[in-house]
Amino acid sequence: MAEQPSGVTQSPRSLLERLPSLTILGPLVALLLAVIFFSLQSERFLTGQNFSLILQQVSVVAVLAIGQTLIILTAGIDLSVGFVMALGTMVMAKFAVELGMPPLLAILCGMAVTTAFGFLNGFLITRFKLPPFIVTLGTMNIAFALTQIYSRAQTVSNLPDAHLLWGNTFRIGETVFTYGVVLVIVLYLLVWFFLSETAPGRHLYAVGNNPEAARLMGIPTQRVLLLTYTIAGFFYGIAGWLLISRTSVADPNAGQTENLETITAVVLGGTSLFGGRGMVLGTLLGAIIVGVFRNGLTLMGVSSVYQVLITGILVILAVVADQISKRRG
Amino acid sequence: MAEQPSGVTQSPRSLLERLPSLTILGPLVALLLAVIFFSLQSERFLTGQNFSLILQQVSVVAVLAIGQTLIILTAGIDLSVGFVMALGTMVMAKFAVELGMPPLLAILCGMAVTTAFGFLNGFLITRFKLPPFIVTLGTMNIAFALTQIYSRAQTVSNLPDAHLLWGNTFRIGETVFTYGVVLVIVLYLLVWFFLSETAPGRHLYAVGNNPEAARLMGIPTQRVLLLTYTIAGFFYGIAGWLLISRTSVADPNAGQTENLETITAVVLGGTSLFGGRGMVLGTLLGAIIVGVFRNGLTLMGVSSVYQVLITGILVILAVVADQISKRRG
Amino acid sequence: MELNPVQNARPNPVLEPTPAPKPKVVLEARGLVKRYGHVTALDGADFELREGEILAVIGDNGAGKSTLIKALSGAIIPDAGEIYLDGKQVHFRSPIDARKHGIETVYQDLAVAPAMTIAENLFLGREILRPGWFARLIRWIDKKKMLEEAITDMQDLKIGIRSMSQAVETLSGGQRQGVAVARSAAFARHVVIMDEPTAALGVKEGNMVLELIRRVRDSGLPVIIISHNMPHVFEIADRIHIQRLGKRAAVVNPKKISMSDTVAVMTGAKTLAELNPEVLA
Amino acid sequence: QNKTPYVGLITKTESNPFFVKMKEGAQKEAQKLGAKFISAAGKTDGDNAGQVAAIENMVAAGVNTILITPSDAKAIIPAIKKAQAAGVQVIALDSPTDPASAVDALFATNNYQAGVLIGKYAAAALKGKKPVIATLDLFPGHPVGAQRHNGFLTGFGLKSLGAESNELAKPAEVVCMADTFGDRAKGQTAMENCLQKNPNINLVYTINEPAAAGAFQALKAAGKEKDVIIVSVDGGCEGVRNVDQGIIAATSQQYPLRMAAMGVQAAVEYAKTGKKASGYVDTGVELIAKTAVPGVASKDVKYGLANCWGQ
Ligand SMILES: Nc1ncnc2c1ncn2[C@@H]1O[C@H](COP(=O)(O)OP(=O)(O)OP(=O)(O)O)[C@@H](O)[C@H]1O
Ligand SMILES: Nc1ncnc2c1ncn2[C@@H]1O[C@H](COP(=O)(O)OP(=O)(O)OP(=O)(O)O)[C@@H](O)[C@H]1O
Ligand SMILES: O[C@@H]1[C@@H](O)[C@H](O)OC[C@H]1O
Ligand SMILES: [Mg+2]
Ligand SMILES: [Mg+2]
């Protein structure tokens, strides 16, 4: 039958449409290919322990990248991510160690600081209608300088147990996992649910996709944006806690390359930098892909310069493949 | 007369409209305020010699920022700027010193490499419809790695005179200027003329402002984009030559912070990151503003961490002021 | 249209005859002014929408029609002038305010989120939530229900859409317009405003929209329709508001005035004084 | 002569306690000797352009001596020459220029020697076990990174390169090499991956103490912290405390405060008398170890803490 069905009918293709969309299939395939490749190169690669290790290594970037994903879905960008996190870790550590604050309270203070920075970003962007790139370029410098000044460039160690919570481990069979890894997965699932199943989550997509239409349809776009940046700041706080748990210290020089790393994860995960399209679970895959390459190339004995080269090529190939698959689809 | 003129008439306001628009007045005022402030702080600030120095210091970033401006006017962005430049300087230096190529030919080869990288950026962006941010994130890593591999991370010195051309000086009164500074000014005037007075220049604005409309109006948008990135690459080559002239060496670690620095100059100069709006002369002012702050703050004895803090605040204040002035206007 | 009792956001338009002898004014505006820099889009425009009528707004390009209805629907805030809804003055600060008062609008540029599905676009900003306090708390949306409702809403406009879960960007211009029209018709409780709803539509589809507009009117809701299509206007409108140079030039009765006189007023070829007062409405 | 002494200090960055301490020391010394003092730094380690601009701005500010820790040994030289031509004395601290004669004087640790000391210590501490080595290095091309790495291998008695080389030697005993940029988190990730590559690693050389602390964290997570020896370079207070806790077996301590103080003194001397400092002054390096090993002279933790920099 050449004729289109007239009127609206439930399409028989709905089952197909319920499959994960191509945006998540792309990174999944990339990840699988990488895993197969490295397994052939080194018999030490494909072990539960190594996989657990990779998850630990990417966990901080993965949590930062949740915030970055939310922001990029609104067609924004955040260059301040890692720097804000570093400031947060300093507050968590110094408030506990030097001011003698109860550990959990100190951690909350640190998260309050990162959340406040997120709010500041969002406030400047919405109140003065400034481009996110430039606002976060500014707050990136400010957060960095504050961290250096406040810490006098000194690493803070001897932290209380609460700070190290997420570094604790448990076993599944032979393999040791950290609580931090579980936290990361739980956070991703929560945010995935939020984005795809709740009204505010859908509004975030709408604001990124067509802000004027969203506004005309009665979505408080400015409030959505402000909230998005603020929530992102909250995630930076959690990432900071994870980082402290992983390294056992607060390091004033942490987080300096995380802006590009999180953006790479988001893009490898299939989210569009133009906003409104993408999936947060893709970002997790994107972060893991980067970790797999770093780990696999080190196991192969490839030096860091060549790792950079390969990452560069990989990033481009990933988006090229994504584009081609979309045209086919 | 309450009646609007019906039909289209040449408005009597055309003279007013020919005045520089607010986008260029903003940075000009900011620059003047900064100059006044620093003059009051240090009697060494307001001298011809110091001003010449600032121009020399910003010359490399200023030339890179020409390419960045062209790209941002098309609503793109280039993260690879400084890294591509560094690769170019390596080729210029090693082809002359190690391959014994005639100096000018070696320089041309270096410029060919940077231009080719620009072309590569443009090709990937237009051919596969990829986001500029991610393409140049990839080529940034590739250019960096190639520079490190090719130079084996070693600085190359003892360069022939042709490489140092733009470092030569001449005097006006007491003040010593370099040829490089003259080159920068000439380049800016040429690009300004190109952008505001020629058809291709206007097309570039059109593509940035509304690519779909430009395409429908018969402007070959893809070709305009490809050319823009290629020309930008050519400017990175010139910037590389300037850098060699200024430092007398080719340094594999050069150029690593220039992506954010050029974007800062472009934005301080009043060009919109969303494309289609802005002036290249504003970028020159933007670059000079950054140089004036660094110089002035150093003369005042402000330490570098506080300089970072102040730069962060300044960037935000500049765009806030720009926005407010636009709403008034 | 079937009404689902769980779903309280969209009350059923009650069908009742409209015998009112002295028409009540539903939406009124006086002396609206809106300036964009040096352009005056609205220059003291008046406006009046009566109960149960279809009011057409016509005018040259740039006459200020879209600006007028944007002011009425809260999309812009006028620089001066007053707006009255049911005789009470209102100050719409945003489209949300107007929507809360039951005013639904189809904007000229459609206001859809292209990457989102048709169903999501239909319910954007007023998603159907799952039942239960927890679902309300976290604002958990009921996708299945939204899909079903979307199918119902789009049924009347036979515009050949395969699936409600396809992205709006995969639709043709006319199909997108259909989505925007269906959205406003489905949610209106007080007033429906449509800015050139048939501009992109084919003959068949255009007639479908006109039919829909009549049905909305017959259900008791007044409709404002902007159109450049004179035959459409004369076919459907109860009264015609002629906008010119940012002002209301006249309100005429399509049953009494000729199409050519209407165009003459619209273009300024005829003044009000040259018209037979009989044709005014 | 007899001008008021005015000294400018340019460090690689201001985000490394080593340089923060150096700056504080210089500032104090300047105050003591009645000299004016300003400072500047590059954005990152390796930011030559930032250091060049800093030199120029300091000359414009009218300093008579510049103390600099060059980020790029070669690329900085033309700027130094210009400053010298303007009558400014230029002294390198911490890291040499290439050639070293480009500056008036150099007050620095002998980084190769620092490496040799920990290499010797490690050789003795392994007690004849077959070495399986991971090196956690700085980043490619940095002379300080190459000198410590090669010095370490030389001290251990393995095939290595000389003090002049900027390449990293890789004898068969080194099973894993990774760049850490001197960063703690990157050091941890690098060590984790190295352990995956070869779980039998029993000796870890690290470019500095943050990288060492990161490596220890990884070893601890793998339950191997008892069986692996970590050696490092720097002697910061945090690092010495880590020696005390057995995290780092031994570290070569360097003395940035001494560099700073000597630099400022030379600046004052030059301003007062017009006499420039000259040549290379080794500011010394001491091996700090909790447990001394036979045949290798070392100082104990107490000494290390008394002379450390940082907090
Ligand atoms: N955002 C804006 N900025 C500046 N001027 C505007 C803006 N929106 C509308 N105008 C101007 O206001 C005037 C009225 O515009 P409006 O869109 O209301 O016209 P219209 O009657 O709807 O025309 P059309 O029939 O072409 O849709 C026009 O001259 C237009 O240029
Ligand atoms: N970008 C797209 N992606 C997927 N499907 C598309 C896309 N553009 C158009 N289509 C589909 O192709 C068909 C034809 O679309 P087209 O826009 O050519 O129609 P048209 O004849 O111009 O209709 P109209 O009169 O409504 O503008 C429609 O079914 C539409 O859904
Ligand atoms: O010698 C210095 C080293 O100790 C520090 O850790 O990093 C910078 C080096 O130049
Ligand atoms: Mg209109
Ligand atoms: Mg069409």
Side-chain angles (χ1 to χ4, degrees), chain A residues 211-227:
Chain A
E212 182 58 11
R215 187 181 77 86
L216 292 175
M217 285 306 104
I219 294 171
T221 47
Q222 300 302 84
R223 188 139 43 100
V224 169
L225 283 178
L226 184 59
L227 258 173

PDB file of all heavy atoms in Angstrom, chain A residues 211-227:
ATOM      1  N   PRO A 211      14.494  27.685  23.224  1.00  0.00           N
ATOM      2  CA  PRO A 211      14.156  28.438  24.440  1.00  0.00           C
ATOM      3  C   PRO A 211      12.943  29.342  24.255  1.00  0.00           C
ATOM      4  O   PRO A 211      12.125  29.475  25.168  1.00  0.00           O
ATOM      5  CB  PRO A 211      15.423  29.259  24.725  1.00  0.00           C
ATOM      6  CG  PRO A 211      16.262  29.178  23.501  1.00  0.00           C
ATOM      7  CD  PRO A 211      15.849  27.952  22.747  1.00  0.00           C
ATOM      8  N   GLU A 212      12.807  29.929  23.065  1.00  0.00           N
ATOM      9  CA  GLU A 212      11.689  30.844  22.847  1.00  0.00           C
ATOM     10  C   GLU A 212      10.369  30.065  22.876  1.00  0.00           C
ATOM     11  O   GLU A 212       9.407  30.482  23.517  1.00  0.00           O
ATOM     12  CB  GLU A 212      11.880  31.575  21.510  1.00  0.00           C
ATOM     13  CG  GLU A 212      10.813  32.594  21.183  1.00  0.00           C
ATOM     14  CD  GLU A 212      10.663  33.698  22.224  1.00  0.00           C
ATOM     15  OE1 GLU A 212      11.528  33.816  23.117  1.00  0.00           O
ATOM     16  OE2 GLU A 212       9.658  34.435  22.166  1.00  0.00           O
ATOM     17  N   ALA A 213      10.360  28.912  22.217  1.00  0.00           N
ATOM     18  CA  ALA A 213       9.143  28.096  22.236  1.00  0.00           C
ATOM     19  C   ALA A 213       8.825  27.658  23.661  1.00  0.00           C
ATOM     20  O   ALA A 213       7.677  27.695  24.094  1.00  0.00           O
ATOM     21  CB  ALA A 213       9.317  26.879  21.340  1.00  0.00           C
ATOM     22  N   ALA A 214       9.860  27.266  24.393  1.00  0.00           N
ATOM     23  CA  ALA A 214       9.633  26.841  25.770  1.00  0.00           C
ATOM     24  C   ALA A 214       9.008  27.972  26.574  1.00  0.00           C
ATOM     25  O   ALA A 214       8.073  27.764  27.347  1.00  0.00           O
ATOM     26  CB  ALA A 214      10.958  26.401  26.398  1.00  0.00           C
ATOM     27  N   ARG A 215       9.520  29.165  26.370  1.00  0.00           N
ATOM     28  CA  ARG A 215       8.998  30.308  27.110  1.00  0.00           C
ATOM     29  C   ARG A 215       7.528  30.539  26.750  1.00  0.00           C
ATOM     30  O   ARG A 215       6.664  30.709  27.605  1.00  0.00           O
ATOM     31  CB  ARG A 215       9.809  31.559  26.761  1.00  0.00           C
ATOM     32  CG  ARG A 215       9.470  32.781  27.594  1.00  0.00           C
ATOM     33  CD  ARG A 215      10.300  33.968  27.161  1.00  0.00           C
ATOM     34  NE  ARG A 215       9.799  34.558  25.927  1.00  0.00           N
ATOM     35  CZ  ARG A 215       8.842  35.481  25.887  1.00  0.00           C
ATOM     36  NH1 ARG A 215       8.301  35.919  27.007  1.00  0.00           N
ATOM     37  NH2 ARG A 215       8.420  35.973  24.737  1.00  0.00           N
ATOM     38  N   LEU A 216       7.236  30.504  25.440  1.00  0.00           N
ATOM     39  CA  LEU A 216       5.867  30.763  25.002  1.00  0.00           C
ATOM     40  C   LEU A 216       4.918  29.671  25.490  1.00  0.00           C
ATOM     41  O   LEU A 216       3.739  29.910  25.697  1.00  0.00           O
ATOM     42  CB  LEU A 216       5.817  30.861  23.481  1.00  0.00           C
ATOM     43  CG  LEU A 216       6.531  32.090  22.904  1.00  0.00           C
ATOM     44  CD1 LEU A 216       6.543  32.048  21.388  1.00  0.00           C
ATOM     45  CD2 LEU A 216       5.876  33.379  23.393  1.00  0.00           C
ATOM     46  N   MET A 217       5.459  28.465  25.692  1.00  0.00           N
ATOM     47  CA  MET A 217       4.611  27.382  26.183  1.00  0.00           C
ATOM     48  C   MET A 217       4.513  27.403  27.701  1.00  0.00           C
ATOM     49  O   MET A 217       4.047  26.451  28.313  1.00  0.00           O
ATOM     50  CB  MET A 217       5.143  26.026  25.719  1.00  0.00           C
ATOM     51  CG  MET A 217       4.880  25.747  24.256  1.00  0.00           C
ATOM     52  SD  MET A 217       3.125  25.916  23.821  1.00  0.00           S
ATOM     53  CE  MET A 217       3.106  27.478  22.971  1.00  0.00           C
ATOM     54  N   GLY A 218       5.001  28.463  28.289  1.00  0.00           N
ATOM     55  CA  GLY A 218       4.783  28.631  29.710  1.00  0.00           C
ATOM     56  C   GLY A 218       5.817  27.979  30.599  1.00  0.00           C
ATOM     57  O   GLY A 218       5.599  27.812  31.795  1.00  0.00           O
ATOM     58  N   ILE A 219       6.961  27.602  30.032  1.00  0.00           N
ATOM     59  CA  ILE A 219       8.028  27.071  30.877  1.00  0.00           C
ATOM     60  C   ILE A 219       8.874  28.241  31.368  1.00  0.00           C
ATOM     61  O   ILE A 219       9.290  29.074  30.571  1.00  0.00           O
ATOM     62  CB  ILE A 219       8.885  26.067  30.086  1.00  0.00           C
ATOM     63  CG1 ILE A 219       8.038  24.843  29.746  1.00  0.00           C
ATOM     64  CG2 ILE A 219      10.122  25.673  30.874  1.00  0.00           C
ATOM     65  CD1 ILE A 219       8.704  23.900  28.796  1.00  0.00           C
ATOM     66  N   PRO A 220       9.124  28.322  32.666  1.00  0.00           N
ATOM     67  CA  PRO A 220       9.936  29.428  33.181  1.00  0.00           C
ATOM     68  C   PRO A 220      11.405  29.203  32.824  1.00  0.00           C
ATOM     69  O   PRO A 220      12.181  28.697  33.625  1.00  0.00           O
ATOM     70  CB  PRO A 220       9.695  29.374  34.688  1.00  0.00           C
ATOM     71  CG  PRO A 220       9.307  27.965  34.961  1.00  0.00           C
ATOM     72  CD  PRO A 220       8.696  27.399  33.734  1.00  0.00           C
ATOM     73  N   THR A 221      11.763  29.562  31.609  1.00  0.00           N
ATOM     74  CA  THR A 221      13.091  29.184  31.091  1.00  0.00           C
ATOM     75  C   THR A 221      14.236  29.683  31.969  1.00  0.00           C
ATOM     76  O   THR A 221      15.196  28.955  32.201  1.00  0.00           O
ATOM     77  CB  THR A 221      13.294  29.732  29.676  1.00  0.00           C
ATOM     78  OG1 THR A 221      12.895  31.102  29.659  1.00  0.00           O
ATOM     79  CG2 THR A 221      12.472  28.966  28.678  1.00  0.00           C
ATOM     80  N   GLN A 222      14.117  30.905  32.457  1.00  0.00           N
ATOM     81  CA  GLN A 222      15.216  31.443  33.251  1.00  0.00           C
ATOM     82  C   GLN A 222      15.402  30.632  34.534  1.00  0.00           C
ATOM     83  O   GLN A 222      16.517  30.347  34.952  1.00  0.00           O
ATOM     84  CB  GLN A 222      14.966  32.908  33.603  1.00  0.00           C
ATOM     85  CG  GLN A 222      14.826  33.819  32.405  1.00  0.00           C
ATOM     86  CD  GLN A 222      16.043  33.788  31.508  1.00  0.00           C
ATOM     87  OE1 GLN A 222      16.171  32.900  30.651  1.00  0.00           O
ATOM     88  NE2 GLN A 222      16.963  34.697  31.695  1.00  0.00           N
ATOM     89  N   ARG A 223      14.263  30.246  35.127  1.00  0.00           N
ATOM     90  CA  ARG A 223      14.347  29.468  36.356  1.00  0.00           C
ATOM     91  C   ARG A 223      14.950  28.092  36.083  1.00  0.00           C
ATOM     92  O   ARG A 223      15.766  27.596  36.849  1.00  0.00           O
ATOM     93  CB  ARG A 223      12.944  29.326  36.977  1.00  0.00           C
ATOM     94  CG  ARG A 223      12.955  28.711  38.340  1.00  0.00           C
ATOM     95  CD  ARG A 223      11.986  29.380  39.285  1.00  0.00           C
ATOM     96  NE  ARG A 223      10.701  29.664  38.643  1.00  0.00           N
ATOM     97  CZ  ARG A 223       9.607  28.898  38.789  1.00  0.00           C
ATOM     98  NH1 ARG A 223       9.650  27.829  39.551  1.00  0.00           N
ATOM     99  NH2 ARG A 223       8.485  29.220  38.207  1.00  0.00           N
ATOM    100  N   VAL A 224      14.558  27.513  34.959  1.00  0.00           N
ATOM    101  CA  VAL A 224      15.118  26.204  34.600  1.00  0.00           C
ATOM    102  C   VAL A 224      16.636  26.304  34.444  1.00  0.00           C
ATOM    103  O   VAL A 224      17.392  25.477  34.960  1.00  0.00           O
ATOM    104  CB  VAL A 224      14.470  25.678  33.299  1.00  0.00           C
ATOM    105  CG1 VAL A 224      15.216  24.459  32.779  1.00  0.00           C
ATOM    106  CG2 VAL A 224      13.011  25.335  33.527  1.00  0.00           C
ATOM    107  N   LEU A 225      17.078  27.353  33.754  1.00  0.00           N
ATOM    108  CA  LEU A 225      18.521  27.519  33.562  1.00  0.00           C
ATOM    109  C   LEU A 225      19.246  27.703  34.888  1.00  0.00           C
ATOM    110  O   LEU A 225      20.266  27.066  35.165  1.00  0.00           O
ATOM    111  CB  LEU A 225      18.803  28.725  32.664  1.00  0.00           C
ATOM    112  CG  LEU A 225      18.570  28.518  31.171  1.00  0.00           C
ATOM    113  CD1 LEU A 225      18.847  29.804  30.415  1.00  0.00           C
ATOM    114  CD2 LEU A 225      19.482  27.406  30.657  1.00  0.00           C
ATOM    115  N   LEU A 226      18.705  28.606  35.701  1.00  0.00           N
ATOM    116  CA  LEU A 226      19.335  28.895  36.986  1.00  0.00           C
ATOM    117  C   LEU A 226      19.451  27.615  37.815  1.00  0.00           C
ATOM    118  O   LEU A 226      20.504  27.311  38.377  1.00  0.00           O
ATOM    119  CB  LEU A 226      18.503  29.944  37.731  1.00  0.00           C
ATOM    120  CG  LEU A 226      19.060  30.444  39.054  1.00  0.00           C
ATOM    121  CD1 LEU A 226      20.434  31.056  38.844  1.00  0.00           C
ATOM    122  CD2 LEU A 226      18.132  31.482  39.663  1.00  0.00           C
ATOM    123  N   LEU A 227      18.364  26.861  37.830  1.00  0.00           N
ATOM    124  CA  LEU A 227      18.364  25.614  38.591  1.00  0.00           C
ATOM    125  C   LEU A 227      19.372  24.620  38.026  1.00  0.00           C
ATOM    126  O   LEU A 227      20.062  23.920  38.770  1.00  0.00           O
ATOM    127  CB  LEU A 227      16.968  24.996  38.533  1.00  0.00           C
ATOM    128  CG  LEU A 227      16.151  25.200  39.797  1.00  0.00           C
ATOM    129  CD1 LEU A 227      14.733  24.718  39.597  1.00  0.00           C
ATOM    130  CD2 LEU A 227      16.815  24.425  40.955  1.00  0.00           C
TER     131      LEU A 227
END
